[in-house]
Amino acid sequence: MDYANLEDEALIRLIANDRSEALSVLYDRYSRLVFSLAFNSVGDMDAAEEITQDVFLRVWKNAHSYRAEKAQVNTWISSITRYRAIDFLRKRSSRLHFKSLSWDDLSPNSVSIEAANPEERTERSLAAQRVRLAVGGLPDEQKQALALAYFFGLTHSEIAEYLEEPLGTIKTRIRLGMQKLRKAFNEDRRSEK
Amino acid sequence: MSADQHIDNLIAAYALDCLDEDEMIWVSRHLADCARCRAELSAYQQVVDQLPLAVQQRQPPSDLKGKLMEQVNRKDTDTGQESQDFWHRFRGFLRQTAPVWSLASLVVIVLLVASNLILWQQMRGISGQSRADTMRVVALDHTQVAPGATGLIVMSLDGEHGTLVVDHLPRLSEENQYQLWLINNGERDSGGVFSVSKEGYGSVWVNSAQPLADYSAFGVTIEPAGGSPGPTGEKVLGGNL
């Protein structure tokens, strides 16, 4: 069986049946995403490596619990990574030493995505470019608030405390940032049709 | 809050998982009854799902895959050939008896659905166990030790994380604290230690070795301050997933 050409969901089904070859292919496809996301949160290569390994071990152990109707595989894996990294920060109690890595290179040209086939690879790369453009177009204070929430797991009041800004200001920044991203993504979808 | 009063100003933050606990519970409950807000949430959830794509890509260390696969294959070997043979035989038996199992499963599913419907009807209105599309809320019932106390565990979409919120629990002396227990197959893992305010309110981020959804039940006991390796005190809250 040529695992490399299988769709993500087929790989997950095989992983649930203890086929480590499928995990190997899934790793090739998503290890950059997982490692990058982890590194962005924890800002430490060793910790990002530990988190990456842990995320794929969780995928290996919990593949049977994946539900395609709830989320795509890349979303599922990203979500595991995000919360694993936030857990790591909470345990290390180092969230107050955030490095400003969060959106540090939003150049649309620096995107390289692995996928099951060239069409999917192209589609995902284009999607990544669009997301970078949209996030890059946000005002700095909205980007900062979104990054503190997304990468570091801070709540509204924790962000307000960290930035020494009023709670209402932070709520507004998050809401406006998300609204702008939603609008940008919707416009992209419309222009594709 | 009724389904007529929508929560547009909080949904984006809920999707981003950055609401403070009181608002998170509030929104979770509203979403369980409001299709319009669930649709809004779904739209914002798609935004959140795209955010990882904005991260600068970095190559993991080249030896990491080898370490991962070694660990995976080692765990495979540890399970032993004997148990593998057993499972192969067991699967063969299941396949041969599939028609009987199918019928039996159908009957069990019908019974479960019916009993769940009855339970749901009983629980509705006292906000026992509700469920939105994105969060699972597990209600904990009080014991005779803490009459009037309530507890909720709000779990993330993937069942990996959660927060325990309690109310009307008696305030303890300085020598004691409450401890959450995560229960699976009779084994109890600590999910966190916490105290409550003078009003009996408290909350704790649930810290677990495995996804919360893998546990079958939860309990809260009174333990010496700092917590215990296993439950030793009286149980005040409990509930099943």
Side-chain angles (χ1 to χ4, degrees):
Chain A
M1 187 187 295
D2 186 2
Y3 288 86
N5 291 327
L6 292 177
E7 299 289 331
D8 291 350
E9 287 179 25
L11 289 176
I12 292 290
R13 281 195 295 275
L14 287 165
I15 292 169
N17 284 315
D18 299 339
R19 303 296 289 269
S20 58
E21 303 93 321
L23 183 72
S24 169
V25 172
L26 199 76
Y27 178 91
D28 292 340
R29 215 170 272 177
Y30 290 114
S31 58
R32 281 167 60 93
L33 176 71
V34 170
F35 184 76
S36 309
L37 198 50
F39 184 75
N40 250 48
S41 287
V42 299
D44 175 309
M45 297 289 275
D46 290 340
E49 184 177 336
E50 182 187 325
I51 291 167
T52 303
Q53 188 165 352
D54 185 61
V55 166
F56 282 99
L57 282 174
R58 281 170 188 241
V59 169
W60 175 247
K61 283 195 295 188
N62 300 321
H64 62 276
S65 67
Y66 169 72
R67 296 288 175 269
E69 67 276 15
K70 291 273 187 187
Q72 293 182 334
V73 172
N74 61 335
T75 305
W76 183 56
I77 292 176
S78 298
S79 176
I80 295 173
T81 309
R82 179 190 173 201
Y83 285 108
R84 181 67 189 83
I86 291 171
D87 268 354
F88 182 91
L89 290 170
R90 285 179 199 272
K91 282 178 185 161
R92 207 170 61 175
S93 301
S94 61
R95 288 188 302 154
L96 294 178
H97 307 290
F98 311 119
K99 297 184 180 177
S100 54
L101 291 162
S102 314
W103 314 104
D104 62 345
D105 179 7
L106 291 167
S107 156
N109 298 324
S110 59
V111 180
S112 170
I113 303 280
E114 293 297 324
N117 55 61
E119 292 79 19
E120 199 177 333
R121 195 173 303 134
T122 306
E123 194 181 312
R124 285 191 187 173
S125 297
L126 287 172
Q129 288 177 9
R130 286 193 297 265
V131 172
R132 285 168 176 233
L133 279 172
V135 175
L138 293 177
D140 286 344
E141 66 273 14
Q142 290 175 15
K143 265 191 288 197
Q144 183 187 39
L146 288 179
L148 288 168
Y150 185 79
F151 294 111
F152 305 113
L154 297 196
T155 64
H156 276 149
S157 23
E158 287 171 328
I159 297 170
E161 186 182 345
Y162 177 69
L163 296 178
E164 297 179 345
E165 297 274 9
L167 179 60
T169 304
I170 298 303
K171 287 184 173 183
T172 304
R173 285 180 190 171
I174 296 264
R175 191 177 70 248
L176 290 180
M178 290 288 283
Q179 281 172 349
K180 283 177 191 166
L181 291 180
R182 179 182 174 183
K183 190 172 172 218
F185 296 166
N186 284 344
E187 281 169 2
D188 285 338
R189 281 198 203 96
R190 274 198 292 275
S191 64
E192 282 170 12
K193 289 178 184 172
Chain B
M1 178 184 288
S2 77
D4 296 332
Q5 298 168 287
H6 299 296
I7 48 171
D8 295 338
N9 58 338
L10 294 177
I11 291 182
Y14 183 86
L16 199 56
D17 200 9
C18 68
L19 285 178
D20 290 295
E21 279 168 6
D22 49 350
E23 286 182 328
M24 185 177 65
I25 301 284
W26 192 28
V27 173
S28 294
R29 286 179 171 165
H30 177 81
L31 286 167
D33 293 325
C34 182
R36 177 189 173 280
C37 287
R38 284 202 298 273
E40 278 290 289
L41 174 64
S42 174
Y44 279 114
Q45 195 63 57
Q46 286 175 30
V47 174
V48 175
D49 291 347
Q50 303 275 312
L51 290 180
L53 294 175
V55 171
Q56 184 190 0
Q57 296 280 295
R58 292 169 195 275
Q59 194 68 41
S62 54
D63 61 345
L64 181 56
K65 184 178 179 185
K67 287 183 197 169
L68 170 72
M69 298 315 293
E70 189 187 341
Q71 203 168 345
V72 164
N73 291 325
R74 192 179 335 126
K75 283 187 176 174
D76 256 5
T77 311
D78 289 348
T79 60
Q81 190 61 37
E82 275 182 28
S83 79
Q84 208 172 16
D85 290 344
F86 169 77
W87 282 109
H88 278 303
R89 285 199 300 274
F90 186 59
R91 283 176 184 167
F93 169 75
L94 286 178
R95 269 189 224 108
Q96 284 168 10
T97 55
V100 177
W101 283 111
S102 299
L103 185 62
S105 301
L106 188 63
V107 171
V108 170
I109 288 167
V110 168
L111 287 173
L112 281 173
V113 168
S115 62
N116 274 328
L117 272 175
I118 293 166
L119 278 173
W120 178 76
Q121 283 171 337
Q122 289 174 343
M123 299 290 278
R124 199 175 183 213
I126 54 170
S127 92
Q129 184 167 339
S130 63
R131 179 181 174 151
D133 285 345
T134 55
M135 288 278 181
R136 191 184 296 181
V137 182
V138 180
L140 304 184
D141 296 323
H142 61 77
T143 64
Q144 290 181 340
V145 178
T150 56
L152 287 173
I153 292 178
V154 183
M155 261 193 271
S156 60
L157 164 67
D158 55 9
E160 291 269 334
H161 305 86
T163 299
L164 167 70
V165 183
V166 299
D167 205 2
H168 300 304
L169 269 178
R171 198 163 190 200
L172 301 173
S173 67
E174 284 187 3
E175 289 78 40
N176 291 103
Q177 279 185 297
Y178 291 107
Q179 190 163 6
L180 171 68
W181 299 102
L182 317 172
I183 305 162
N184 194 18
N185 293 327
E187 297 287 324
R188 285 163 171 77
D189 296 334
S190 174
V193 177
F194 63 97
S195 301
V196 296
S197 67
K198 61 183 178 187
E199 293 83 15
Y201 177 85
S203 66
V204 62
W205 168 269
V206 183
N207 189 8
S208 64
Q210 50 184 310
L212 275 182
D214 288 356
Y215 291 96
S216 56
F218 305 97
V220 175
T221 59
I222 299 171
E223 301 296 332
S228 306
T232 59
E234 288 186 298
K235 183 177 171 183
V236 291
L237 291 168
N240 296 318
L241 182 59

